[in-house]
Structure formats: C-alpha cells, structure tokens
Amino acid sequence: MKRGQHLLVIAAAAAALTGGASLLGNGYYLRIAFMMCVYYMCAAGMNVLVGYAGQKSLGQAGLFAAGAYAMALLTTRTEMSPWIALIFAAVISGICGVLIALPSLRVKGPYLAMVTLAFGIVIEKLVSDWTDVFGGAQGISGIRPLTWNGHPFSPLQWVWFGIILCAITHLLLRNLLQGRFGRAMRSLQSDEIASSSVGVRVYRAKVVAFVVAAVTCGIAGALVAQQNQYINSDFITFDLSIFILLLVLFGGAGSIYGPLVGAVILTLIDALLTSWPSVQHFVYGFLLLFALYVMPAGVVGLFSKWFKRTKEEVLSWDRIAPTRPGLVGDGELLVVHGVTKSYGGVKPAQDISFRLQRGHIHALIGPNGAGKSTMINMLTGVVDPSAGSIRFLGQEIVGRPVHTICCLGIGRTFQNLRLFADLSVLDNVMLGRHSRMENGFFASLTALPSARKQELATRGRAMQLLDLVGLAHLASQAAGNLPYGLQRRVELARALATEPQLLLLDEPAAGLNPQETAELGQLLVVIGKSGVSILMVEHHMDLVMSISDHVIVLDYGIKIAEGTVAEVQANPRVVEAYLGVDEPIAV
C-alpha cells in the first residue's frame, strides 16, 4: 500500500475507533480500551528493538518507570504544564534508553537479556526503596493529568487521545522501518559483519532501536501516571517486562501490525484474568512458550500467507551506466606495507607488501591456508593487522571501523555467502547504498520529501545493478530462497551498490559451474572497464589468468611472487607452491 493510501486508511480507522469509543458508556470498558492504547505504545517500540534490530530486552519495566516517575515528579514538584511534562518524560526515557544501551550492547545473546534484566531490577528496587523521592509502596499522588479547555481529560477523552497517539506512532514507525533505518536494523539480525561491510554503523543502529523502544515505553508510563493521577512501585514489576515482551512475540515480532494484534488480544485476556492472579501468570507463561515454539512469527505470521501478493511487483527503473565510474587513470589506489598478522604462533600474514593500481583487475592467489582471506579481512577492517600499514587513497585505514572503510570506497564480498537471507533481493542491494544515503533519522521518521527522494533514488540504483547481474526479475524474492549461484550475484550487486573504487571479491566463483564462471569473468571485465578496480581471491586459475592484469601469490602467509600473468606462470616458486617438487629417493 502506498504511503498516501496508508495514511488515509489509518485516519479512517482512527476516526472509526474514536466513534466506537463514544458508544462505550461503561467506565470499565473505557479503561480497557485506554490500556490497549498504552500497551500498544509499549509493544510498538519494543517491536523495533526485538522484531527488527533483534536485541532481546527484559528491562522495559524500568523504561516504563522512567516515564511514569518523570511525569509524577515534574507535575507534583513544579508548575510545569502536563503537556510539556509529557514531552520531558519522553526525553528522559530516551536518555535512559541510551544509558541502558551503552553497556548492554557490549554483550550479545542471553548476556544482553541479563544486562537489561538487571537494569529493570535496579529500577524496581530504586522506586520501592528510595521513598524520599519515589514514595515506595505509598507512591506519589496528585499527579496533574492532561487537560482540554482547562478541564482534566474524561475517561472517553483519554481513549480518544490514546487512539490518536497510537495512530501517529504507527505512521512514524512505519516511515522509519520501511526505509533506510528499517533495512539497517533488520540486517543486524542476519549478520552484523555483513551489515557493517555495507556501511551500516551497527552500534548506532542498535542504540537508535533502544531509544525508540525507551521513548514509546516512557510515554506509555507517563500516560498511566497521568490518567491514574497516582503511581507507586506496584506498577513497576518484572511481570510488566515479560508482558511487554509477550505483546510483541505473540502478536508477531518484525511485523508492523504485530504489536497492535498483541495489545488487543492480551489486554482482553489480562482483563478477563484480573481476578485470578495465579492463573494469570500461568497463562502468560503458557502463551510465551506457545509463541516461541508453535508460532514464532506470532498471530500475524499465521495469517500473513493469506495476504501475500499473488503476482510479482512490477518494478521500473532507468537503464543507465551499470556502475558509477571510479577515478579512472593511472596511479596507486591501495598501498600495503609490511603487514603481519599473528594468532599466537600462527602467522597467516608475514611482512606482506604490495600496491594496487587504479583501473586494474588484480588477483590474490595461493594454495589453501595461504592467508588470502585473512588479507581481505585486514583490508576491510574485519581483522586488525598485528603490524604494518594499509593506505587507501593516501589515508591510513588500519584500526578504522568496517563501516568507515566501506564509506571510503572499499566494497567486498565474502568467501562464505553472507546475504541477509530473510530480506528480499532488492532490499539486500538497497542496503549496499545505506552509507550513500543522506536522509537522517528525523527525515526518515517523518517521511520528508528529501527522504522519499533518497529512497526512490536508492531503489532505482539497486534495480540498475540487479539488471547488470541479470536478477532484476527476481527483485522481490527472498534472497535466501535463490540458488547458490544467483545468491553469489546478489552479493556482488550489493557490493557494487556501496559505490566502491576498490572491489574486493573473496572467491566469487566458488560453487559456480563452468558456464557461470565464464559469465562471471565477462561481468568482472565490464565492471573493471567502468572504472572500479578489483582485487579478487580465486582458485579458478582459468578465470584468474584470463581477466587479471596483475597477480599476487601468497604461500603460508608469505608473498612469493607478483607480476603479470605471464611472469607469475613462469615463476618457479609459484609452480613449486601449487605442484610441489619431487624429493630425491634415498638409496
């Protein structure tokens, strides 16, 4: 659905819901409807963190508390307007999101969940024990609610406001997640190394996800405090963190509509089980396990196949030059001097030096275990050399982050495919242009014209590159569903999308049949003629010798030869490394 159409649908749905709320004369039902809005706010942000960025958090109760107690303290101890206090509560929650993200993101997997859990427990103990500030079990009362025309919101007005706020949140997050930042976050779940190799600043993307989750959860906490005009430590429990996580997993993590489904269903279940707390906890535990093991894609995932498009999306683009020309001409592009890498007593690279020229196709060859892939990883920042210098375009790149090296103009593929398998072929290639897009967070969040222009330009460029590698007709297919040889082409197109001046290919012909290898060779020649210099690691000697201008040979981490194809073929050390020599037979 196009953005304009979606906006109209959401506006119509919000109008219908506000009208329907007017028919709920019972205050209890209005309270349930309001809590649906509150839980949706929590779940929508949590979905960004868990469903898109893949970061497991169990500390959302602490962020809920940040918003609630910020609102309580600002409205009871100052004369600040409740509307302004709501904004400040969101900001304070966002700051808390940064504070929890900084230590949390230095660990992964279950350790990340443990760190966020510890944060939630610390906040729970803080609000319960620091009674002078937070009131403990007695809590803080007299919180000033939102007002309209000088009068506090009625229960119906709270529901109206909640619906409008949820609609705005949905539209903003949809803008964010269907563009540059959404693709970057989803790439983190598949492969962080591949993500950084196409220019995604992995750490910053995770922090953004934490902040989004913190702000929405903090706003939800502030709304509860204002609506109740009271908050105490009983609101801030570990059960709340589990419930918010369950909202996302049950509804459908990674789906823009999953949080809505989870909030509606689980709020109704919560209301039905209020009188039986022990049963309530059992049901939550059962639903969490059920969501994890029986329907990992959530309720939305069960029905998503009914709404899949029955025909391929028609994509159009302008067919122009296949790649952006690099700096054509003579001169040195990359200078490697005295590079050494050691892992204890093992040295896959020993005092290696070479120079790559602009506009040339270079090959890095050698027997298995010669250190070729290690060299590629050092050139792209995945591995730091133990000694030596690597200068690209005159700049020292040793010690620089992977995404920075990509932005400088070095693109790469991997020896073992590192595609974002769950993303479409088109999204994989569009991710390659992440660092070349100029729209920032707020432009993407609000879908400013500049952001939409960038998105269209990136989409068009990606389609050009897919046309170059012969995959334009498969743009909407999941990359992981393609045959191996076609996946190799997707990875090549993604690397080209970074607009490199130097393209590093780590065994691009691995797993290809002879015809596919020949077609790859022709494609690399076309890319080279467009101004992109190439350094490829390859074992297919026919491919190497037919297209290379310059060959570098490694053996056990040592450079044993360098020169033209003819010079390398005639070098006795190269022959010995590949074929071995006959040992004299002892008599």
Side-chain angles (χ1 to χ4, degrees):
M1 189 182 299
K2 293 183 178 180
R3 181 175 176 273
Q5 295 173 331
H6 186 77
L7 179 60
L8 291 176
V9 169
I10 295 301
L17 289 173
T18 54
S22 302
L23 302 177
L24 299 176
N26 189 308
Y28 178 70
Y29 295 148
L30 289 174
R31 173 68 179 179
I32 293 175
F34 174 72
M35 290 309 298
M36 286 181 182
C37 297
V38 168
Y39 288 138
Y40 172 77
M41 293 292 296
C42 293
M46 187 67 163
N47 186 42
V48 175
L49 182 62
V50 175
Y52 282 81
Q55 306 303 301
K56 304 300 184 287
S57 174
L58 293 174
Q60 297 308 105
L63 299 172
F64 185 94
Y69 279 94
M71 175 60 70
L73 295 174
L74 288 172
T75 57
T76 57
R77 301 191 180 187
T78 72
E79 296 301 319
M80 182 179 294
S81 163
W83 290 96
I84 301 298
L86 181 60
I87 297 174
F88 270 91
V91 173
I92 291 170
S93 299
I95 294 172
C96 290
V98 174
L99 294 178
I100 187 178
L102 294 179
S104 298
L105 296 181
R106 299 187 183 279
V107 295
K108 296 181 180 180
Y111 300 104
L112 172 61
M114 291 174 65
V115 171
T116 58
L117 173 60
F119 169 80
I121 293 174
V122 168
I123 296 299
E124 182 180 347
K125 295 295 293 182
L126 187 67
V127 299
S128 62
D129 294 348
W130 196 357
T131 55
D132 292 340
V133 176
F134 302 108
Q138 184 177 354
I140 301 175
S141 58
I143 301 170
R144 284 182 283 130
L146 298 178
T147 60
W148 185 256
N149 289 330
H151 300 287
F153 274 7
S154 67
L156 179 59
Q157 288 174 321
W158 276 112
V159 175
W160 286 349
F161 180 68
I163 291 171
I164 293 171
L165 193 60
C166 289
I168 293 172
T169 300
H170 170 81
L171 291 172
L172 291 176
L173 292 183
R174 183 177 185 269
N175 292 338
L176 184 71
L177 297 174
Q178 290 195 344
R180 179 190 183 208
F181 285 88
R183 286 191 299 271
M185 290 178 187
R186 292 182 67 187
S187 72
L188 302 181
Q189 293 196 60
S190 297
D191 195 320
E192 291 185 11
I193 292 178
S195 184
S196 60
S197 76
V198 295
V200 175
R201 298 178 64 176
V202 170
Y203 194 80
R204 186 174 72 170
K206 291 180 179 180
V207 171
V208 167
F210 262 99
V211 170
V212 169
V215 168
T216 57
C217 209
I219 291 174
L223 292 178
V224 169
Q226 285 189 306
Q227 205 258 359
N228 291 329
Q229 300 182 42
Y230 171 76
I231 190 74
N232 75 350
S233 58
D234 292 340
F235 287 82
I236 315 303
T237 64
F238 176 64
D239 291 344
L240 177 61
S241 292
I242 294 296
F243 187 73
I244 294 173
L245 179 60
L246 179 58
L247 291 171
V248 177
L249 297 180
F250 186 79
S255 167
I256 196 71
Y257 297 103
L260 176 62
V261 173
V264 171
I265 295 177
L266 293 179
T267 303
L268 291 174
I269 293 175
D270 183 66
L272 292 172
L273 299 178
T274 302
S275 302
W276 300 282
S278 58
V279 176
Q280 189 178 45
H281 294 160
F282 172 79
V283 171
Y284 291 160
F286 171 78
L287 289 177
L288 183 58
L289 291 175
F290 184 79
L292 289 173
Y293 291 103
V294 178
M295 50 177 199
V299 174
V300 172
L302 292 178
F303 299 98
S304 61
K305 61 182 179 181
W306 295 355
F307 300 97
K308 286 184 178 179
R309 289 169 293 187
T310 57
K311 59 181 180 179
E312 293 295 332
E313 181 181 5
V314 178
L315 301 171
S316 61
W317 69 97
D318 296 326
R319 288 178 170 83
I320 60 174
T323 57
R324 185 196 70 167
L327 298 178
V328 181
D330 297 329
E332 294 175 346
L333 185 64
L334 182 89
V335 178
V336 177
H337 179 71
V339 167
T340 297
K341 180 62 183 178
S342 60
Y343 298 97
V346 179
K347 292 186 176 181
Q350 302 179 47
D351 195 27
I352 297 175
S353 299
F354 58 83
R355 299 168 184 264
L356 303 185
Q357 303 296 315
R358 298 184 190 275
H360 287 191
I361 297 178
H362 306 264
L364 183 63
I365 66 173
N368 290 329
K372 306 181 295 298
S373 293
T374 299
M375 178 55 66
I376 295 293
N377 286 334
M378 287 191 289
L379 296 180
T380 53
V382 175
V383 173
D384 289 328
S386 304
S389 170
I390 303 174
R391 299 184 68 83
F392 177 70
L393 297 175
Q395 300 184 51
E396 180 63 50
I397 62 174
V398 171
R400 293 201 177 191
V402 177
H403 67 265
T404 300
I405 293 174
C406 172
C407 294
L408 289 174
I410 298 181
R412 71 165 296 176
T413 64
F414 293 86
Q415 180 179 7
N416 299 314
L417 278 171
R418 303 190 86 143
L419 288 177
F420 309 119
D422 294 333
L423 299 185
S424 71
V425 169
L426 179 61
D427 281 340
N428 267 269
V429 181
M430 290 179 73
L431 266 164
R433 280 188 55 85
H434 178 85
S435 63
R436 307 302 176 189
M437 298 178 72
E438 299 175 355
N439 51 304
F441 175 80
F442 289 104
S444 300
L445 185 69
T446 54
L448 294 179
S450 59
R452 298 200 300 271
K453 183 178 179 180
Q454 289 280 324
E455 192 72 13
L456 288 173
T458 295
R459 183 186 183 90
R461 183 61 174 161
M463 288 302 301
Q464 294 164 15
L465 293 170
L466 286 174
D467 188 42
L468 173 68
V469 300
L471 297 178
H473 62 293
L474 298 175
S476 60
Q477 295 290 318
N481 293 340
L482 298 184
Y484 184 84
L486 298 186
Q487 290 188 38
R488 281 283 180 190
R489 293 193 195 181
V490 175
E491 192 176 43
L492 176 59
R494 187 183 68 186
L496 288 172
T498 65
E499 297 184 0
Q501 294 191 47
L502 174 61
L503 179 61
L504 308 179
L505 306 175
D506 197 349
E507 299 193 25
L512 303 186
N513 60 41
Q515 180 180 349
E516 291 173 330
T517 301
E519 292 173 351
L520 173 65
Q522 296 171 5
L523 178 58
L524 295 182
V525 170
V526 171
I527 293 171
K529 288 181 178 179
S530 72
V532 178
S533 303
I534 296 174
L535 172 64
M536 65 173 176
V537 169
E538 190 50 68
H539 286 292
H540 286 70
M541 289 301 103
D542 290 342
L543 174 62
V544 170
M545 300 307 173
S546 63
I547 69 172
S548 299
D549 301 306
H550 183 259
V551 181
I552 304 163
V553 188
L554 302 182
D555 188 28
Y556 292 108
I558 301 172
K559 187 182 78 173
I560 61 173
E562 181 178 8
T564 65
V565 170
E567 291 171 344
V568 168
Q569 285 178 322
N571 191 302
R573 293 190 66 186
V574 176
V575 175
E576 178 182 344
Y578 272 96
L579 301 179
V581 295
D582 293 331
E583 295 289 343
I585 300 175
V587 178

